[in-house]
Amino acid sequence: MKATSLKRNHKLYSGLDDRIFDLTVKIILLILGVMALYPLWFVLIASVSNPSDIFRGRVFLLPSGLNTEAYEKLLHTPKVWTGYLNSIIYTSVGTFINLAVTLPAAFALSRKALPGRAVFSVFFIFTMVFSGGLIPSFMLVRSLNMVDTMWALVIPGAVSAFNLLIAKSFFEGGIPESIYEAAIVDGASKFQFFFRFALPLSKAMIAVILLYYALGHWNDYFTPLIYIRTPDLQPLTIVIAQMAATLDTTLLEVMPSEEAYQLLMENSLMKYAVVFVGALPMIILYPFLQRYLIQGVMLGAVKG
Amino acid sequence: MLLPAIAVTFVFSYLPLYGLQIAFKTTRLGANYLNGDWIGFDHFVRFFNAGWFGTIMKNTVLLSVGSYLIAFPFTIMLALMIFNAVNKRLAKFTQTFTYLPHLLSGVVVIGILNLFVNGETGLINIFLRLTGQETISFFGRNDMVLPLYIITNLWQHVGFSAIVYLAALNSIDGSIVESARIDGANKFKIMMKIQLPWILPVIVTMLILNMGHILNVSVDKVLLMQTDLNISASEVIATYVYKAGIQGAQYGFAAAVGLFNNCINLAMLLFINWLSRRINETSIF
């Protein structure tokens, strides 16, 4: 949200207390901003530094030189690239299914003429309040033979009731009943109207729920952890977890030697690189996504 | 147009409710997993009587409520600071970089955490070693689980949660602030006496909405932070269900534990809803 709409009437009175206030705000904002940025920054500079410099505490604000060794190694680590590719496939297929199922349903629910509208709404809302939980869902997916396939990741969660409600209330407000009825009277079918009018008029909302769904797929770790067994089918999150987020017992305690130390340093450099590679897509896309994320909060807030 | 959504929701949200009966049955392996014998509440009784029941409940509540209660004031403070900033470029900078972590997956977040606190190679321990202090085994200590979880949660979500409050602050009537200025109120007073009360209803609403997830802990993050050494502080219901059910194949028992969890969540939601209807005459449903 733009924080600029406060009228600049502080010029009226600008005593010492106000200047202290302004300064305090500035300092707090600076501290919070730097604290938010620093972890990612450190991972980046550490990933291109000489590992022994990191160990001597010389890498803190700027990288020591430019050491692309870790990234070159990553380039030759096929599982990172299969992970990337799998994540891209799961995210695009999954999001496509999400939208293909959610949007028509939301539009249908938004029309007052729909018989049994309240019943259908409750049918979906109930899933937000109570669910069978992990185990019964797992047994179901398993008995449908979807374990270890992409379908386990993209079909069971095809409808999120939350996104469905956001889309529904957007259609209610954005596509007036009168226009819809006029188009139907003029001979348009429901589907024609949906594709030619309702969807093009709802681009802002579609962008928001597309983003929500896509983020959900891209960042999902737990679902593939449960359902995907074959290494070649693992998405990026699982690969990162295996390479960087697993906690290794420190070699140094077991056998403190020069080689162990060297190995440890090389390993940790790889970790920096793989974590940064994992965060990279979001960092690149972030400037384009920020607007929609904020809009999404607003759409959700209107709903709540 | 409704049909696909209804079909998917019926199969994957309602059929598992039918499958919940395994929580009351002996476990049968294979395709006919629903054919076990009825045993009533045996699985539940076993869960309640187990020695670690109290520990798991305590951890679950501590991690979810603790991180939530700490994040709350930070979120409101961040929104107030961004809103009151005179230097709009600084406000934009802070806003941008406090939102960004919200997009990252739990795996990346724990990966970053790992690089800061892990064993000999983490930045904090490097620093401690260089200044001649004892290094800390962050993932080997029970008392570190809660702080680490809270810190990662703050980093990930505070900026994003602040958006709602910022929007509310933006809707303040400028004339109220103006007349307060004319009456000689300084900026701090305006923040405390006008802005904060203005967003209070939003604060209450958000509080209520979040109480419905009282037992929800970010399972991927907790799983990744877990080690054999900190297990007695990091085992929560969700990780326990995963281990007993998916890894240990004790389907009936794990389903019972999960059902217990969902029932508490539902009860909390209904209770909070009832409470909020009594207090400010609004309810979620």
Side-chain angles (χ1 to χ4, degrees):
Chain A
M1 263 303 109
K2 280 188 203 116
T4 46
S5 68
L6 176 67
K7 294 247 172 62
R8 293 224 165 186
N9 41 27
H10 46 255
K11 277 169 192 128
L12 239 153
Y13 170 86
S14 198
L16 186 62
D17 43 358
D18 271 2
R19 266 178 281 155
I20 292 172
F21 180 82
D22 286 345
L23 190 67
T24 317
V25 169
K26 203 180 269 185
I27 292 169
I28 293 176
L29 277 178
L30 197 63
I31 292 174
L32 291 177
V34 169
M35 275 169 53
L37 176 60
Y38 186 71
L40 279 173
W41 175 247
F42 177 71
V43 171
L44 173 64
I45 60 172
S47 70
V48 295
S49 292
N50 187 338
S52 64
D53 284 336
I54 306 174
F55 266 43
R56 291 192 200 104
R58 288 192 190 145
V59 178
F60 187 60
L61 288 178
L62 289 170
S64 73
L66 189 66
N67 171 13
T68 54
E69 200 185 311
Y71 289 97
E72 277 160 32
K73 246 190 220 167
L74 271 192
L75 267 177
H76 298 107
T77 312
K79 71 173 178 180
V80 173
W81 302 110
T82 21
Y84 246 107
L85 187 66
N86 287 335
S87 279
I88 291 171
I89 294 170
Y90 300 158
T91 303
S92 14
V93 174
T95 309
F96 177 78
I97 294 176
N98 287 138
L99 293 181
V101 176
T102 306
L103 290 175
F107 181 70
L109 280 177
S110 77
R111 297 301 102 187
K112 293 203 172 59
L114 179 77
R117 188 163 168 252
V119 178
F120 288 126
S121 292
V122 172
F123 177 81
F124 289 112
I125 290 171
F126 179 78
T127 64
M128 289 167 80
V129 182
F130 193 78
S131 71
L134 176 66
I135 302 300
S137 308
F138 172 77
M139 310 287 272
L140 177 70
V141 169
R142 201 182 57 169
S143 65
L144 293 172
N145 287 324
M146 298 204 305
V147 170
D148 216 17
T149 67
M150 173 175 75
W151 308 116
L153 307 179
V154 296
I155 303 278
V159 186
S160 130
F162 183 76
N163 287 339
L164 180 72
L165 291 181
I166 289 182
K168 178 195 147 208
S169 61
F170 190 92
F171 281 133
E172 273 168 358
I175 316 291
E177 206 72 29
S178 53
I179 297 181
Y180 172 66
E181 273 157 21
I184 298 294
V185 169
D186 286 349
S189 78
K190 283 174 189 168
F191 284 95
Q192 278 173 334
F193 183 83
F194 175 68
F195 284 110
R196 296 226 187 118
F197 294 94
L199 286 188
L201 285 171
S202 310
K203 280 186 193 131
M205 173 273 289
I206 295 172
V208 168
I209 66 167
L210 184 144
L211 178 65
Y212 276 2
Y213 275 131
L215 271 180
H217 288 295
W218 184 265
N219 287 337
D220 197 2
Y221 168 71
F222 197 56
T223 324
L225 182 70
I226 294 167
Y227 293 120
I228 304 295
R229 309 277 157 80
T230 311
D232 281 349
L233 294 177
Q234 301 289 12
L236 188 62
T237 45
I238 299 275
V239 177
I240 297 172
Q242 287 167 352
M243 292 180 71
T246 43
L247 315 165
D248 49 6
T249 45
T250 42
L251 271 161
L252 284 176
E253 280 163 21
V254 187
M255 42 165 206
S257 68
E258 198 54 38
E259 294 89 73
Y261 203 68
Q262 196 62 38
L263 194 68
L264 205 61
M265 290 198 300
E266 275 169 23
N267 275 347
S268 75
L269 196 66
M270 279 291 276
K271 287 182 177 185
Y272 287 113
V274 81
V275 166
F276 191 74
V277 163
L280 196 61
M282 288 304 143
I283 297 174
I284 293 171
L285 290 176
Y286 178 59
F288 309 100
L289 301 182
Q290 196 180 4
R291 191 162 67 97
Y292 295 109
L293 270 171
I294 294 168
Q295 276 177 7
V297 174
M298 294 300 106
L299 284 176
V302 170
K303 189 61 232 142
Chain B
M1 291 173 117
L2 262 176
L3 213 59
I6 289 179
V8 170
T9 305
F10 177 75
V11 172
F12 292 101
S13 296
Y14 284 86
L15 281 188
L17 295 182
Y18 177 73
L20 264 178
Q21 58 181 275
I22 60 166
F24 305 95
K25 285 183 167 177
T26 54
T27 300
R28 282 278 162 83
L29 292 175
N32 284 329
Y33 63 90
L34 293 174
N35 286 351
D37 301 319
W38 290 98
I39 51 166
F41 285 88
D42 281 11
H43 289 313
F44 295 87
V45 172
R46 196 182 124 207
F47 178 53
F48 298 145
N49 287 337
W52 25 253
F53 171 71
T55 315
I56 290 179
M57 288 309 290
K58 192 189 83 185
N59 293 341
T60 309
V61 173
L62 263 183
L63 287 183
S64 69
V65 180
S67 66
Y68 184 64
L69 286 184
I70 299 218
F72 215 70
F74 272 97
T75 311
I76 294 160
M77 183 184 78
L78 178 66
L80 287 171
M81 293 298 108
I82 290 174
F83 185 72
N84 284 305
V86 181
N87 185 340
K88 294 304 170 198
R89 278 175 66 188
L90 176 65
K92 187 87 199 145
F93 163 82
T94 304
Q95 227 177 334
T96 304
F97 288 108
T98 47
Y99 292 173
L100 176 59
H102 186 75
L103 300 185
L104 302 177
S105 72
V107 175
V108 169
V109 172
I110 297 301
I112 294 174
L113 176 75
N114 205 356
L115 295 170
F116 272 82
V117 304
N118 195 24
E120 302 289 321
T121 53
L123 182 67
I124 294 175
N125 276 337
I126 290 173
F127 182 76
L128 286 176
R129 206 179 56 228
L130 289 173
T131 53
Q133 294 170 69
E134 193 87 356
T135 56
I136 304 169
S137 169
F138 286 95
F139 288 116
R141 284 170 53 167
N142 284 332
D143 56 352
M144 282 294 165
V145 173
L146 186 62
L148 290 178
Y149 184 79
I150 288 177
I151 287 170
T152 56
N153 252 21
L154 282 177
W155 187 64
Q156 258 188 301
H157 302 304
V158 160
F160 193 71
S161 320
I163 297 175
V164 173
Y165 303 108
L166 265 175
L169 285 168
N170 272 312
S171 69
I172 292 181
D173 186 352
S175 61
I176 302 174
V177 179
E178 213 159 320
S179 46
R181 295 296 292 181
I182 292 165
D183 289 344
N186 64 23
K187 288 181 176 178
F188 184 69
K189 270 225 166 89
I190 288 176
M191 183 173 87
M192 298 308 285
K193 296 275 162 70
I194 297 177
Q195 294 170 352
L196 208 52
W198 181 270
I199 60 172
L200 200 62
V202 185
I203 294 176
V204 174
T205 310
M206 295 310 286
L207 206 63
I208 292 169
L209 283 176
N210 283 297
M211 281 302 145
H213 316 286
I214 198 85
L215 289 189
N216 286 3
V217 177
S218 166
V219 56
D220 44 358
K221 274 164 58 183
V222 177
L223 263 184
L224 290 166
M225 285 170 67
Q226 233 168 35
T227 62
D228 290 344
L229 295 170
N230 68 16
I231 191 88
S232 60
S234 63
E235 190 79 302
V236 295
I237 296 180
T239 56
Y240 188 68
V241 170
Y242 168 69
K243 286 181 197 161
I246 308 292
Q247 289 182 334
Q250 305 177 50
Y251 299 116
F253 176 66
V257 178
L259 177 59
F260 168 73
N261 183 54
N262 288 351
C263 287
I264 301 251
N265 271 337
L266 181 62
M268 278 306 289
L269 190 71
L270 293 175
F271 171 69
I272 294 290
N273 193 52
W274 170 82
L275 200 68
S276 82
R277 199 179 310 171
R278 290 205 52 176
I279 295 172
N280 51 6
E281 317 214 317
T282 54
S283 66
I284 314 159
F285 43 72

